Amino acid sequence: MEIARSIAEFRALRATVPTLGLVPTMGFLHEGHLSLVRRARSECGAAAATIFVNPTQFAANEDFSSYPRALERDLDLLRAEGCAFAFVPSGPEVMYPAGFDTRIEIGGVTGMLEGAVRPGHFDGVATVVAKLLNITQPTRAYFGQKDAQQCVVVRKLVRDLDMPVEIVVCRTVRTEDGLAMSSRNAYLSPPERQAALVVIRALRAAEADFTAGQRDAGALRATMREVLSGEALAAIDYVSAAHPETLAELDEVGAEGALLSLAVRIGKTRLLDNLVLGL
Ligand code: PAF
């Protein structure tokens, strides 16, 4: 695997392959990321991953400085998956040089859910993803469904700015007991790790209600809240049953289905997860 530490180095590598599948990451890779690399490789021939903990998507009170980092281990994992290239900016100044003064703000789908709890977060995500796509020029870019709102935002970014890349959203990878893979799971103590299973229990309870015929979105949200409130270690940030594309909260689940999503804090760890309901 070739490792580029600068934009020029990556561009030289990019020129050597006709099609490229990109997996943008902030590192501390897990099976979810690796499944994206495998898919990128199988669909595009060559895969590239980016590893950059993007400061502009973290608020001042968030975990930017403590975000888990394990670069050498990440590079070994990518090599083992046959990833062709890694773009690992040698420092934040590669992405944000002196005088950098541009910010992409996406309307409509960023005011709710994560965007309501983390103001400015999606401006940081949209800006860095636009830069990463411009730098790496992939044929397709792969994102995990676990960050459902991020997927909606990135799709809109690419559509609104006519970026010549296909965005591929891949299913959430879970541990055997149902916890969605996330780099932040590393923060959980053993009792918190056990408590975190309430997240998938809440989502599956609402999904079971839906399967049994419940179409009242308020009732689905109430089911998730009820299950979550049974876990003393879980503090709810939000529960949502929203339109899968506009992310507007639904009164009733219609033909377009719904995105059930939630965010909870377990100790100091914030966990997100979601399930898509289809008709
Ligand atoms: O999902 C992530 O890891 C990040 O938000 C991304 C897409 C790499 C942008 O920094």
Side-chain angles (χ1 to χ4, degrees):
M1 182 174 73
E2 304 282 350
I3 300 168
R5 306 302 305 248
S6 70
I7 294 172
E9 279 169 31
F10 192 89
R11 290 213 161 122
L13 296 172
R14 175 65 186 96
T16 63
V17 291
T19 51
L20 183 69
L22 181 74
V23 181
T25 84
M26 297 205 300
F28 211 69
L29 303 181
H30 50 66
E31 182 51 32
H33 298 114
L34 301 179
S35 70
L36 301 181
V37 172
R38 283 195 284 277
R39 178 133 175 222
R41 215 185 136 197
S42 79
E43 292 182 355
C44 302
T50 65
I51 300 179
F52 178 62
V53 185
N54 173 38
T56 67
Q57 67 189 78
F58 291 80
N61 61 341
E62 293 182 346
D63 57 345
F64 172 68
S65 52
S66 60
Y67 194 84
R69 290 160 170 91
L71 182 57
E72 288 312 317
R73 176 182 152 278
D74 288 348
L75 294 174
D76 285 345
L77 289 168
L78 292 173
R79 274 186 205 101
E81 291 300 339
C83 189
F85 313 134
F87 176 53
V88 188
S90 56
E93 66 285 354
V94 171
M95 297 297 284
Y96 304 114
F100 182 88
D101 206 11
T102 295
R103 201 180 160 87
I104 298 181
E105 197 182 313
I106 300 203
V109 292
T110 55
M112 61 289 275
L113 307 175
E114 286 303 285
V117 183
R118 304 180 69 188
H121 168 69
F122 286 117
D123 298 356
V125 170
T127 306
V128 80
V129 169
K131 283 179 68 74
L132 291 170
L133 294 175
N134 283 338
I135 292 164
T136 60
Q137 304 274 307
T139 317
R140 300 190 184 91
Y142 295 80
F143 293 84
Q145 169 64 25
K146 179 182 160 284
D147 294 309
Q149 190 173 13
Q150 173 168 279
C151 293
V152 171
V153 167
V154 169
R155 278 195 158 132
K156 191 163 164 56
L157 167 78
V158 162
R159 195 169 54 235
D160 286 358
L161 297 186
D162 307 305
M163 300 175 87
V165 58
E166 183 189 336
I167 300 302
V168 183
V169 175
C170 304
R171 69 174 187 83
T172 302
V173 177
R174 299 180 181 281
T175 57
E176 225 164 80
D177 55 4
L179 185 66
M181 297 267 184
S182 163
S183 304
R184 288 189 170 101
N185 292 349
Y187 298 148
L188 296 167
S189 68
E192 288 172 346
R193 167 69 181 72
Q194 195 54 35
L197 294 178
V198 74
V199 167
I200 189 63
R201 281 204 305 278
L203 289 166
R204 285 191 179 143
E207 182 186 45
D209 287 355
F210 174 78
T211 305
Q214 180 61 270
R215 296 292 178 267
D216 179 340
L220 299 176
R221 289 187 285 269
T223 295
M224 290 190 279
R225 277 191 185 277
E226 192 187 324
V227 175
L228 291 171
S229 58
E231 172 49 67
L233 293 184
I236 303 174
D237 264 0
Y238 60 79
V239 300
S240 163
H243 186 282
E245 281 304 317
T246 66
L247 303 182
E249 288 302 318
L250 295 171
D251 293 329
E252 196 147 315
V253 183
E256 284 166 315
L259 174 72
L260 296 181
S261 67
L262 56 84
V264 296
R265 276 168 289 115
I266 303 220
K268 289 196 177 112
T269 312
R270 202 161 167 277
L271 299 175
L272 309 185
D273 202 351
N274 66 83
L275 287 179
V276 178
L277 303 180
L279 283 177

